[in-house]
Amino acid sequence: MEKEVTRQDRIDAYLLKQMSSSERIEFESQMKSDPELDELVKLQTIIVEEISDRESFNSLVEEHKKSKIFRLKVYRALSIA
């Protein structure tokens, strides 16, 4: 049995740019005529952006932690010498 494509599946495919150009045009047309769908896409876009921003932030924090730990190790090594 073929998997039923849900509204959320279509939103995901749209946001992940996994639709063909004709599917994308059709979906954008549906968004214009369906305010609820349009709002769901906008909300999902915000969620994806927030997650991406958080992942970027967490990555920067981890890099900073590693850098700080490395500096502390170097300072300790130099103070012993």
Side-chain angles (χ1 to χ4, degrees), residues 30-70:
Q30 289 174 350
M31 286 170 43
K32 288 177 185 174
S33 63
D34 183 349
E36 182 182 347
L37 176 61
D38 189 52
E39 284 301 312
L40 287 171
V41 171
K42 287 177 183 175
L43 177 61
Q44 188 71 19
T45 300
I46 291 168
I47 291 169
V48 168
E49 288 172 353
E50 287 297 319
I51 290 170
S52 178
D53 288 347
R54 180 168 291 250
E55 287 174 350
S56 295
F57 175 76
N58 287 340
S59 179
L60 285 173
V61 168
E62 286 303 313
E63 285 179 32
H64 178 71
K65 283 181 183 177
K66 289 176 185 175
S67 174
K68 187 175 181 179
I69 290 169
F70 177 75

Side-chain angles (χ1 to χ4, degrees), residues 23-34:
E23 290 171 322
R24 192 169 189 78
I25 290 168
E26 180 185 336
F27 188 76
E28 289 171 348
S29 175
Q30 289 174 350
M31 286 170 43
K32 288 177 185 174
S33 63
D34 183 349

